[in-house]
Amino acid sequence: MDVVPHSLAVLIDKLGRLPGIGRKTATRLALHLLRRPPEESRALAASIAGLHGSIRLCSRCLAFSEEDPCALCADPRRDHRQICVVEGVADMMAIEKSGVYRGVYHLLHGALSPMDGVGPDDLHIRELLARIRAQEIREVLIATSSTVPGEATAALLMERLAATGTRVSRLAFGIPMGMDIQYADEMTLARAIEARRPVRQEG
């Protein structure tokens, strides 16, 4: 005899598939939802169901947005001649929280990881190069994480950007080796952005 009702077991299973959530946490979340008023669960379900219908990729920076271009790309107060290249949305949000960077972004949506089947063609590098060719870009700041995939991605970007003649810089001190950008605190990120260093380009 099953102690857990089928519908509750299904919810626990679905929640447990989310990153960072094990079965115990999934069970706790499911039971919490069950104890709350039904309208809260319906509102949560509606917001999840509407995600893919209302959110798209910004055609310029490839961030998630409800408008195209996104709010940052449409902001005339940002420096549109400076592009910060990040692996994902969480990294962009972390850098924005630092309050130091005032340029725009380009999201790769990943990092090089051959073991996971992620190669150069799986990242949005072609779109970045197209932006640089189409606009008068003053600087590209590479803000990938200091993990092995992040460093490999940065090296590839430096190689691809060398032919553009655009100034390329990399986050400097303050980001420990092996640390994901999204987990760095605001002060650490601020110091890394302010102390970014240019990278030597071959060719």
Side-chain angles (χ1 to χ4, degrees):
M1 180 178 176
D2 292 332
V3 177
V4 180
H6 177 71
S7 56
L8 182 58
V10 170
L11 177 59
I12 291 171
D13 177 67
K14 298 297 184 186
L15 291 172
R17 297 183 188 185
L18 296 173
I21 297 182
R23 184 164 181 83
K24 284 186 177 180
T25 301
T27 301
R28 190 164 60 249
L29 290 171
L31 291 174
H32 171 78
L33 290 170
L34 192 58
R35 295 187 193 102
R36 300 300 299 165
E39 55 268 22
E40 288 189 17
S41 294
R42 284 194 288 269
L44 176 61
S47 64
I48 294 173
L51 269 179
H52 292 285
S54 61
I55 295 180
R56 68 199 78 178
L57 291 181
C58 172
S59 60
R60 297 184 191 176
C61 71
L62 302 173
F64 294 120
S65 176
E66 291 183 340
E67 287 86 30
D68 188 20
C70 68
L72 288 181
C73 286
D75 188 349
R77 296 169 297 180
R78 308 290 296 206
D79 183 355
H80 291 264
R81 297 177 62 203
Q82 184 180 51
I83 297 177
C84 179
V85 182
V86 294
E87 294 174 27
V89 176
D91 300 327
M92 181 182 74
M93 292 170 64
I95 291 174
E96 275 300 289
K97 282 180 66 177
S98 75
V100 172
Y101 181 69
R102 298 303 302 162
V104 291
Y105 293 89
H106 186 86
L107 279 73
L108 299 173
H109 289 282
L112 281 179
S113 183
M115 291 186 66
D116 297 320
V118 181
D121 292 338
D122 298 304
L123 308 177
H124 292 280
I125 298 175
R126 285 190 299 269
E127 291 87 344
L128 172 63
L129 296 175
R131 286 181 74 182
I132 292 171
R133 286 192 296 267
Q135 303 172 27
E136 190 177 338
I137 302 301
R138 175 172 51 85
E139 178 188 11
V140 174
L141 167 58
I142 300 175
T144 55
S145 297
S146 57
T147 59
V148 172
E151 289 295 332
T153 304
L156 176 65
L157 287 170
M158 291 175 203
E159 179 186 319
R160 298 282 177 90
L161 292 168
T164 67
T166 305
R167 179 189 173 198
V168 180
S169 58
R170 179 85 169 102
L171 287 187
F173 64 85
I175 305 294
M177 181 62 69
M179 183 181 195
D180 281 325
I181 294 288
Q182 60 183 300
Y183 299 124
D185 61 81
E186 289 127 34
M187 183 61 70
T188 298
L189 275 171
R191 289 176 60 202
I193 293 170
E194 289 173 337
R196 64 184 179 273
R197 63 186 188 280
V199 295
R200 188 174 59 189
Q201 298 178 338
E202 303 295 335

